[in-house]
Amino acid sequence: MSNNRLIIAAAGSGKTTRLINEALKIKDKKVLITTYTEANEAGIRKKIIALNKYIPKNVTVQTWFSFLLQHGIRPFQGTFNDVLFEKKVKGLLLVNEQSGLRCKFKKNGKEIPLYYSEKKDFEKHYFTQEMKIFSDKLSKFVVECNKKSNGAVIDRISKIYQHVFIDEVQDLAGNDLEILKLFFNCNSEIILVGDPRQVVYLTHNEKLHSKYSYGKIKEFIQEKCKKNCCSFEDLTDSYRCKQEICDFADNLYPDLPKTKSKNIDIKVHTGIFFVKEQDVGKYLEQYKPIQLRNSMTKDVNEKYPVKNFGEAKGLTFDRVLIYPTVPILKWLKDNNSILANTSRSKFYVAITRAKYSVGIIVENNEQTAIEGITYFTNETTL
């Protein structure tokens, strides 16, 4: 068995701290810590400084896209296609849908998009007119560069970084997973850390490996990578959430290991509560929770702090008050009802931000009795 590891970590289990501590142990070799979002990168830097006072010279912290641009594209871009020997890739354009749109035409009353072909229109397939590479083509470009260079891309990375650590690995999709597969065949030690329950963002959406896009990184490694390329570890202790919150959040992902609370703080008003709309003001005044909503279009009480579900990822609060969507409310009443992958992940993230209590807003006439959820009333006291 290799030294490569995938660590599946529940919310509040200290997964990023674990990764950082692994990195800080290494003194004589170079370490890369990479993650998808800029917020996560900033959080890693901040945590290293909190633990170690400074970022060691042998440790590089870099976003996934920045890393691929620096080490996967620029040193080998001409190897992929001769036209790029004389041109400079000037950065990245972040896109939220398939890039390289050539035009649209109507057929049977529907608009059909037509995209630039990689073979016929190489530059327009991958780049803007300003030579910025489209974010959804970045990892594909790196994979192709590695093929054309007979593995030189990954070989060079493994010589620069003897240890490659990837945080929030559940965010990677499509050809990013192909890059992981290539990493498992190099000489570097690879440590992946993530939580399949927290797929709030994806690097991009594409058909390649789409069945593994929503947190199925372990299945991808088992089914698509070489045998025994990686060991697996579960972190199931939550140092953030009280046990009632852990149990409630676990219901969203019944097939994953149960979470055990290590939060031993003695507090009153702990657990999960339904808060009727008429009582929201009282609840906010009494407990000062952070308000969490799915979208900025949702009206909230502007007197109190608020964040969107995705924005709250990685953060910790004493208490939260959730404005649920209609599908979430349906799932609460019937756990067998359909709840889309992204909605399920966002709800899990919202619940597990809280250390002590979670409030969920419901209509005034709501009377549904649900195991594990208590109705808040104005008579409730601290």
Side-chain angles (χ1 to χ4, degrees), residues 98-117:
Q98 186 175 343
S99 63
L101 179 66
R102 181 176 180 178
C103 62
K104 292 183 179 180
F105 63 93
K106 285 192 174 182
K107 184 177 181 180
N108 299 327
K110 293 182 179 180
E111 274 198 337
I112 308 297
L114 184 64
Y115 297 92
Y116 285 109
S117 156

Side-chain angles (χ1 to χ4, degrees), residues 287-317:
Y287 295 111
K288 306 297 189 296
I290 182 80
Q291 299 174 96
L292 298 179
R293 61 186 175 185
N294 184 58
S295 167
M296 290 182 66
T297 60
K298 181 65 179 178
D299 291 334
V300 298
N301 189 318
E302 299 295 343
K303 295 180 181 179
Y304 296 89
V306 59
K307 288 186 180 295
N308 289 354
F309 292 162
E311 185 186 7
K313 186 170 177 281
L315 302 179
T316 297
F317 306 99

